[in-house]
Amino acid sequence: MTETQTRPADKPWLIRTYAGHSTAAASNALYRRNLAKGQTGLSVAFDLPTQTGYDSDHILARGEVGKVGVPVCHLGDMRTLFQDIPLDQMNTSMTINATAPWLLALYIAVAEEQGADVAQLQGTVQNDLIKEYLSRGTYICPPKPSLKMIGDVAEYCYTNVPKWNPMNVCSYHLQEAGATPEQELAFALATAVAVLDELKPRVPAKDFPRLAGRISFFVNAGIRFVTEMCKMRAFVDLWDEILLTRYGVEDAKFRRFRYGVQVNSLGLTEQQPENNVYRILIEMLAVTLSKRARARAVQLPAWNEALGLPRPWDQQWSMRMQQILAYETDLLEYDDLFDGNPAVDRKVEELKDGARAELANIDAMGGAIGAIDYMKGRLVESNADRVGRIEREETVVVGVNRYVETEPSPLMGEDGGIMVVDPAVEQDQIGRLEAWRAERDDTAVSAALEALRSAAAEGRNVMEASIIAAKAGVTTGEWAGAMRALHGEYRAPTGVSGAVSNRTEGLDDIRAQVDAVSDRLGRRLRFLVGKPGLDGHSNGAEQIAFRARDCGMDIEYEGIRLTPEQIVAAAQNGAHVVGLSILSGSHLPLVEDVMQRMRTAGLGHVPVIVGGIIPDEDAARLRAMGVAKVYTPKDFELNAIMRDIVTLADPEAVAAE
């Protein structure tokens, strides 16, 4: 006899896999395989040149093409990406921010080619620039024109693509940058408020609630899954509160907190990576157990993402987790499991109170745009606290700082347990780009670009001009170049000040070593931290710079997206050690370029250290280039790295060698 269900089962959330690599054709094949395996929505990962508005043949794109996502330079690439995938039957999430208007324009152009009714398209563009300034780093233009373009997308979709989510307020990367639950709540909601304030004057008052109802969120769920579940319930309550009290949205359906999720990647470990399977599953429970705060779409990382790019089988394994929970268990047959739970209610109220206090601080600074420096500084400090707790074993990470004994993993095959992008992919992509430019109508391209520039300069909505440009054959680099020329580029705050923090406890021995070596050098030990290439994952570089400063070193850290030439020029200012941080997989060509330039500049004697997600084989190649030390995520003890820097800079140690 089977158990009787108390109510009809809920429809499962959208099951997605965040995917894209190498080329549009390879990514299309991966999407179609995943859809055949039961995936119910697409989630597109774009490569860094596409995210930051460069074509694949731009000098800054060198080594980055196809590494962390798919390169999309023009309509032909987008057409190939979705070949044989009917977009009018698909729900597509595109993780794209600075170039969101452009990628949405390309998507709409392909949908029209397929004969789709654009008004029926469903999906999301992330389109959140504020968190890019704070945590991810794929911004292009300054905050105000960027906010205007977010508004352009929302206004266009409200009229022409009403089922599309024009903006996905993304707290995911805030947690990856170290945000506490209260900060994640407050900073994300402050971003949403800034966007709603931008949108309110653009539509009639009677239509504003419907437009507000299209704003969605993309969140993170960490390993403390009870707290994370309570955080999601707090998000539901606070969003409802803001829309009702601040904006007067009376219809409850427009106040629903709608969100998708990828669970935490920050906590995935290089050590004993098979344990990550359990972490991912537990974190998924935080966003599915509570019906009232259940995600509408879920995508999960793979067990081996701390090692490199997951293979199709690895992504399939994560997708099967979702399917087992959704289809085999009875979770979807019950009402909310936590309503009326006093412990949950207390934690939710505590989180809401903390978030309201942070929101009040941000409001006092003029809102999210005015508070970017403040929020960035808070994130760096919170991440420093997190790293310190792990180092002191106050936070236990199994396989990292406790229970480190292990057997060899049978999951690690001859391929190192990851997929490696063929270096030849970049040149193939450049060849297709050159052919595209050669075959297009240059007159139509010039006219479309001029119309785009005029729309942007006159303050008009850029979406219609962008769609016309997409159809004319304009490239990603040309579209972004027009925005750069008009609005300029922006460098976000690093969150690392020159002043020593109050986190120097336990650093006395290292500070004394720094003082002694500085005396022998004849001046303060100078450590240059550089991020070459387009990689915007700055958390590691920030924490290294933060700790080096607190150890008494003279640090130089100018933030993300520096060319090798700029880094070597900075090293000529008296750097004793140069540290390079690269998490995009482009470490080999970028480090080789830096090392050659260092030797040419007469700096071959200056030690260079490198940190990133670097396979053992690549680490050996880096050391063969002359790199002194290579660090990966398993090297979590920052003080050990600090001691290495001191030793590398010490003239006595060098003389002894």
Side-chain angles (χ1 to χ4, degrees), residues 570-584:
Q572 291 176 310
N573 294 330
H576 294 111
V577 179
V578 174
L580 304 178
S581 172
I582 311 167
L583 278 86
S584 63

PDB file of all heavy atoms in Angstrom, residues 570-584:
ATOM      1  N   ALA A 570      55.036  48.643 -12.757  1.00  0.00           N
ATOM      2  CA  ALA A 570      54.870  48.836 -11.315  1.00  0.00           C
ATOM      3  C   ALA A 570      56.022  48.190 -10.548  1.00  0.00           C
ATOM      4  O   ALA A 570      56.478  48.712  -9.524  1.00  0.00           O
ATOM      5  CB  ALA A 570      53.533  48.259 -10.860  1.00  0.00           C
ATOM      6  N   ALA A 571      56.499  47.040 -11.039  1.00  0.00           N
ATOM      7  CA  ALA A 571      57.608  46.352 -10.365  1.00  0.00           C
ATOM      8  C   ALA A 571      58.882  47.187 -10.383  1.00  0.00           C
ATOM      9  O   ALA A 571      59.743  47.049  -9.497  1.00  0.00           O
ATOM     10  CB  ALA A 571      57.857  44.994 -11.023  1.00  0.00           C
ATOM     11  N   GLN A 572      59.015  48.067 -11.365  1.00  0.00           N
ATOM     12  CA  GLN A 572      60.205  48.925 -11.452  1.00  0.00           C
ATOM     13  C   GLN A 572      60.238  49.980 -10.355  1.00  0.00           C
ATOM     14  O   GLN A 572      61.238  50.674 -10.189  1.00  0.00           O
ATOM     15  CB  GLN A 572      60.264  49.577 -12.836  1.00  0.00           C
ATOM     16  CG  GLN A 572      60.562  48.570 -13.945  1.00  0.00           C
ATOM     17  CD  GLN A 572      60.530  49.197 -15.332  1.00  0.00           C
ATOM     18  OE1 GLN A 572      59.575  49.884 -15.681  1.00  0.00           O
ATOM     19  NE2 GLN A 572      61.560  48.952 -16.112  1.00  0.00           N
ATOM     20  N   ASN A 573      59.154  50.091  -9.592  1.00  0.00           N
ATOM     21  CA  ASN A 573      59.115  51.048  -8.485  1.00  0.00           C
ATOM     22  C   ASN A 573      59.737  50.476  -7.220  1.00  0.00           C
ATOM     23  O   ASN A 573      59.459  50.953  -6.118  1.00  0.00           O
ATOM     24  CB  ASN A 573      57.667  51.470  -8.186  1.00  0.00           C
ATOM     25  CG  ASN A 573      57.054  52.254  -9.327  1.00  0.00           C
ATOM     26  OD1 ASN A 573      57.761  52.953 -10.057  1.00  0.00           O
ATOM     27  ND2 ASN A 573      55.747  52.133  -9.492  1.00  0.00           N
ATOM     28  N   GLY A 574      60.559  49.442  -7.367  1.00  0.00           N
ATOM     29  CA  GLY A 574      61.302  48.925  -6.219  1.00  0.00           C
ATOM     30  C   GLY A 574      60.708  47.704  -5.570  1.00  0.00           C
ATOM     31  O   GLY A 574      60.970  47.447  -4.380  1.00  0.00           O
ATOM     32  N   ALA A 575      59.918  46.917  -6.313  1.00  0.00           N
ATOM     33  CA  ALA A 575      59.341  45.709  -5.728  1.00  0.00           C
ATOM     34  C   ALA A 575      60.436  44.700  -5.399  1.00  0.00           C
ATOM     35  O   ALA A 575      61.340  44.458  -6.208  1.00  0.00           O
ATOM     36  CB  ALA A 575      58.329  45.091  -6.684  1.00  0.00           C
ATOM     37  N   HIS A 576      60.350  44.115  -4.210  1.00  0.00           N
ATOM     38  CA  HIS A 576      61.278  43.053  -3.831  1.00  0.00           C
ATOM     39  C   HIS A 576      60.726  41.677  -4.193  1.00  0.00           C
ATOM     40  O   HIS A 576      61.497  40.731  -4.426  1.00  0.00           O
ATOM     41  CB  HIS A 576      61.560  43.111  -2.324  1.00  0.00           C
ATOM     42  CG  HIS A 576      62.288  44.344  -1.908  1.00  0.00           C
ATOM     43  ND1 HIS A 576      61.707  45.345  -1.152  1.00  0.00           N
ATOM     44  CD2 HIS A 576      63.550  44.769  -2.168  1.00  0.00           C
ATOM     45  CE1 HIS A 576      62.583  46.313  -0.942  1.00  0.00           C
ATOM     46  NE2 HIS A 576      63.709  45.985  -1.550  1.00  0.00           N
ATOM     47  N   VAL A 577      59.408  41.538  -4.210  1.00  0.00           N
ATOM     48  CA  VAL A 577      58.739  40.305  -4.616  1.00  0.00           C
ATOM     49  C   VAL A 577      57.487  40.701  -5.381  1.00  0.00           C
ATOM     50  O   VAL A 577      56.801  41.666  -5.019  1.00  0.00           O
ATOM     51  CB  VAL A 577      58.353  39.425  -3.400  1.00  0.00           C
ATOM     52  CG1 VAL A 577      57.629  38.151  -3.866  1.00  0.00           C
ATOM     53  CG2 VAL A 577      59.576  39.064  -2.563  1.00  0.00           C
ATOM     54  N   VAL A 578      57.181  39.957  -6.453  1.00  0.00           N
ATOM     55  CA  VAL A 578      55.968  40.191  -7.243  1.00  0.00           C
ATOM     56  C   VAL A 578      55.069  38.967  -7.107  1.00  0.00           C
ATOM     57  O   VAL A 578      55.517  37.830  -7.322  1.00  0.00           O
ATOM     58  CB  VAL A 578      56.298  40.428  -8.732  1.00  0.00           C
ATOM     59  CG1 VAL A 578      55.014  40.526  -9.563  1.00  0.00           C
ATOM     60  CG2 VAL A 578      57.138  41.698  -8.887  1.00  0.00           C
ATOM     61  N   GLY A 579      53.805  39.197  -6.753  1.00  0.00           N
ATOM     62  CA  GLY A 579      52.839  38.113  -6.649  1.00  0.00           C
ATOM     63  C   GLY A 579      51.753  38.267  -7.693  1.00  0.00           C
ATOM     64  O   GLY A 579      51.150  39.338  -7.804  1.00  0.00           O
ATOM     65  N   LEU A 580      51.509  37.230  -8.478  1.00  0.00           N
ATOM     66  CA  LEU A 580      50.495  37.266  -9.530  1.00  0.00           C
ATOM     67  C   LEU A 580      49.344  36.340  -9.147  1.00  0.00           C
ATOM     68  O   LEU A 580      49.556  35.196  -8.759  1.00  0.00           O
ATOM     69  CB  LEU A 580      51.088  36.817 -10.869  1.00  0.00           C
ATOM     70  CG  LEU A 580      52.312  37.581 -11.361  1.00  0.00           C
ATOM     71  CD1 LEU A 580      52.803  36.984 -12.683  1.00  0.00           C
ATOM     72  CD2 LEU A 580      52.003  39.066 -11.531  1.00  0.00           C
ATOM     73  N   SER A 581      48.123  36.828  -9.284  1.00  0.00           N
ATOM     74  CA  SER A 581      46.926  36.048  -8.967  1.00  0.00           C
ATOM     75  C   SER A 581      46.081  35.903 -10.219  1.00  0.00           C
ATOM     76  O   SER A 581      45.667  36.896 -10.814  1.00  0.00           O
ATOM     77  CB  SER A 581      46.117  36.755  -7.873  1.00  0.00           C
ATOM     78  OG  SER A 581      44.867  36.126  -7.677  1.00  0.00           O
ATOM     79  N   ILE A 582      45.807  34.644 -10.623  1.00  0.00           N
ATOM     80  CA  ILE A 582      45.032  34.377 -11.845  1.00  0.00           C
ATOM     81  C   ILE A 582      44.146  33.162 -11.594  1.00  0.00           C
ATOM     82  O   ILE A 582      44.652  32.067 -11.341  1.00  0.00           O
ATOM     83  CB  ILE A 582      45.948  34.075 -13.056  1.00  0.00           C
ATOM     84  CG1 ILE A 582      47.053  35.123 -13.194  1.00  0.00           C
ATOM     85  CG2 ILE A 582      45.133  34.006 -14.340  1.00  0.00           C
ATOM     86  CD1 ILE A 582      48.163  34.721 -14.147  1.00  0.00           C
ATOM     87  N   LEU A 583      42.826  33.345 -11.685  1.00  0.00           N
ATOM     88  CA  LEU A 583      41.920  32.221 -11.462  1.00  0.00           C
ATOM     89  C   LEU A 583      41.128  31.839 -12.701  1.00  0.00           C
ATOM     90  O   LEU A 583      40.184  31.062 -12.620  1.00  0.00           O
ATOM     91  CB  LEU A 583      40.948  32.547 -10.317  1.00  0.00           C
ATOM     92  CG  LEU A 583      41.524  32.322  -8.914  1.00  0.00           C
ATOM     93  CD1 LEU A 583      42.290  33.535  -8.441  1.00  0.00           C
ATOM     94  CD2 LEU A 583      40.432  31.973  -7.926  1.00  0.00           C
ATOM     95  N   SER A 584      41.493  32.365 -13.854  1.00  0.00           N
ATOM     96  CA  SER A 584      40.703  32.114 -15.060  1.00  0.00           C
ATOM     97  C   SER A 584      41.265  31.003 -15.935  1.00  0.00           C
ATOM     98  O   SER A 584      40.735  30.738 -17.010  1.00  0.00           O
ATOM     99  CB  SER A 584      40.620  33.406 -15.886  1.00  0.00           C
ATOM    100  OG  SER A 584      41.908  33.806 -16.316  1.00  0.00           O
TER     101      SER A 584
END
